[in-house]
Short mmCIF file of all heavy atoms in Angstrom, two decimals:
data_model
loop_
_atom_site.label_atom_id
_atom_site.label_comp_id
_atom_site.label_asym_id
_atom_site.label_seq_id
_atom_site.Cartn_x
_atom_site.Cartn_y
_atom_site.Cartn_z
N ILE A 25 -6.62 -13.28 -36.82
CA ILE A 25 -5.78 -14.44 -37.07
C ILE A 25 -4.97 -14.21 -38.35
O ILE A 25 -5.51 -13.73 -39.34
CB ILE A 25 -6.61 -15.72 -37.21
CG1 ILE A 25 -7.47 -15.94 -35.95
CG2 ILE A 25 -5.70 -16.91 -37.43
CD1 ILE A 25 -8.39 -17.12 -36.06
N HIS A 26 -3.69 -14.50 -38.24
CA HIS A 26 -2.80 -14.43 -39.38
C HIS A 26 -2.50 -15.83 -39.89
O HIS A 26 -2.44 -16.77 -39.07
CB HIS A 26 -1.52 -13.70 -38.98
CG HIS A 26 -0.61 -13.35 -40.13
ND1 HIS A 26 0.28 -14.28 -40.67
CD2 HIS A 26 -0.45 -12.21 -40.81
CE1 HIS A 26 0.93 -13.69 -41.65
NE2 HIS A 26 0.52 -12.44 -41.77
N PRO A 27 -2.30 -16.02 -41.18
CA PRO A 27 -1.97 -17.35 -41.69
C PRO A 27 -0.81 -18.04 -40.95
O PRO A 27 -0.78 -19.26 -40.79
CB PRO A 27 -1.68 -17.12 -43.17
CG PRO A 27 -2.50 -15.94 -43.53
CD PRO A 27 -2.48 -15.05 -42.31
N ALA A 28 0.20 -17.23 -40.55
CA ALA A 28 1.36 -17.80 -39.88
C ALA A 28 1.04 -18.38 -38.53
O ALA A 28 1.88 -19.09 -37.96
CB ALA A 28 2.45 -16.74 -39.74
N LEU A 30 -1.22 -20.60 -38.12
CA LEU A 30 -1.81 -21.91 -38.39
C LEU A 30 -0.71 -22.91 -38.76
O LEU A 30 0.21 -22.61 -39.53
CB LEU A 30 -2.83 -21.79 -39.56
CG LEU A 30 -3.92 -20.74 -39.37
CD1 LEU A 30 -4.78 -20.67 -40.61
CD2 LEU A 30 -4.75 -21.01 -38.11
N GLU A 317 -6.59 -24.05 -46.35
CA GLU A 317 -7.83 -23.43 -46.81
C GLU A 317 -8.07 -22.09 -46.10
O GLU A 317 -8.39 -21.08 -46.73
CB GLU A 317 -9.02 -24.37 -46.51
CG GLU A 317 -10.38 -23.75 -46.79
CD GLU A 317 -11.52 -24.66 -46.38
OE1 GLU A 317 -11.32 -25.88 -46.23
OE2 GLU A 317 -12.63 -24.12 -46.20
N GLN A 318 -7.88 -22.09 -44.79
CA GLN A 318 -8.13 -20.84 -44.04
C GLN A 318 -7.06 -19.81 -44.31
O GLN A 318 -7.36 -18.61 -44.39
CB GLN A 318 -8.20 -21.17 -42.54
CG GLN A 318 -9.46 -21.93 -42.16
CD GLN A 318 -10.75 -21.26 -42.63
OE1 GLN A 318 -11.00 -20.10 -42.26
NE2 GLN A 318 -11.50 -21.94 -43.46
N ALA A 319 -5.83 -20.20 -44.49
CA ALA A 319 -4.77 -19.24 -44.81
C ALA A 319 -5.03 -18.59 -46.17
O ALA A 319 -4.85 -17.38 -46.34
CB ALA A 319 -3.41 -19.92 -44.81
N GLN A 320 -5.52 -19.38 -47.13
CA GLN A 320 -5.84 -18.83 -48.42
C GLN A 320 -6.99 -17.83 -48.32
O GLN A 320 -7.00 -16.81 -49.00
CB GLN A 320 -6.21 -19.97 -49.37
CG GLN A 320 -5.04 -20.85 -49.78
CD GLN A 320 -5.44 -22.06 -50.56
OE1 GLN A 320 -6.57 -22.55 -50.44
NE2 GLN A 320 -4.55 -22.65 -51.34
N LEU A 321 -7.99 -18.14 -47.48
CA LEU A 321 -9.14 -17.26 -47.33
C LEU A 321 -8.79 -15.97 -46.57
O LEU A 321 -9.38 -14.94 -46.82
CB LEU A 321 -10.29 -17.98 -46.60
CG LEU A 321 -10.97 -19.10 -47.41
CD1 LEU A 321 -11.95 -19.83 -46.50
CD2 LEU A 321 -11.71 -18.49 -48.62
N LEU A 322 -7.87 -16.11 -45.64
CA LEU A 322 -7.57 -14.98 -44.78
C LEU A 322 -7.03 -13.78 -45.53
O LEU A 322 -7.54 -12.65 -45.40
CB LEU A 322 -6.57 -15.39 -43.71
CG LEU A 322 -7.12 -16.02 -42.44
CD1 LEU A 322 -6.01 -16.61 -41.59
CD2 LEU A 322 -7.87 -14.95 -41.63
N GLY A 323 -5.96 -14.02 -46.31
CA GLY A 323 -5.37 -12.87 -46.96
C GLY A 323 -4.92 -11.87 -45.92
O GLY A 323 -4.25 -12.16 -44.96
N THR A 324 -5.42 -10.66 -46.06
CA THR A 324 -5.11 -9.61 -45.09
C THR A 324 -6.28 -9.39 -44.12
O THR A 324 -6.24 -8.50 -43.29
CB THR A 324 -4.87 -8.29 -45.83
OG1 THR A 324 -6.00 -7.95 -46.63
CG2 THR A 324 -3.64 -8.41 -46.72
N GLN A 325 -7.31 -10.24 -44.22
CA GLN A 325 -8.50 -10.06 -43.37
C GLN A 325 -8.54 -11.10 -42.27
O GLN A 325 -8.37 -12.29 -42.50
CB GLN A 325 -9.78 -10.24 -44.22
CG GLN A 325 -11.05 -10.00 -43.42
CD GLN A 325 -12.26 -10.21 -44.34
OE1 GLN A 325 -12.28 -11.10 -45.19
NE2 GLN A 325 -13.30 -9.39 -44.15
N GLY A 326 -8.68 -10.68 -41.02
CA GLY A 326 -8.71 -11.60 -39.89
C GLY A 326 -10.02 -12.39 -39.83
O GLY A 326 -11.06 -11.86 -40.21
N LEU A 327 -9.95 -13.63 -39.41
CA LEU A 327 -11.14 -14.46 -39.31
C LEU A 327 -12.18 -13.83 -38.39
O LEU A 327 -13.38 -13.88 -38.65
CB LEU A 327 -10.81 -15.84 -38.78
CG LEU A 327 -10.21 -16.83 -39.76
CD1 LEU A 327 -9.77 -18.09 -39.01
CD2 LEU A 327 -11.21 -17.19 -40.80
N GLY A 328 -11.72 -13.19 -37.30
CA GLY A 328 -12.67 -12.64 -36.34
C GLY A 328 -13.37 -11.43 -36.87
O GLY A 328 -14.26 -10.89 -36.23
N ARG A 330 -14.87 -11.23 -39.98
CA ARG A 330 -15.77 -11.52 -41.12
C ARG A 330 -17.18 -11.00 -40.81
O ARG A 330 -17.61 -10.94 -39.68
CB ARG A 330 -15.83 -13.01 -41.39
CG ARG A 330 -14.58 -13.57 -42.03
CD ARG A 330 -14.76 -15.00 -42.45
NE ARG A 330 -13.62 -15.48 -43.15
CZ ARG A 330 -13.51 -16.69 -43.63
NH1 ARG A 330 -14.48 -17.56 -43.42
NH2 ARG A 330 -12.46 -17.06 -44.30
#
Side-chain angles (χ1 to χ4, degrees):
I25 303 175
H26 189 277
L30 305 177
E317 174 186 340
Q318 290 306 301
Q320 290 171 335
L321 289 173
L322 274 168
T324 58
Q325 183 181 37
L327 279 174
R330 287 187 175 179

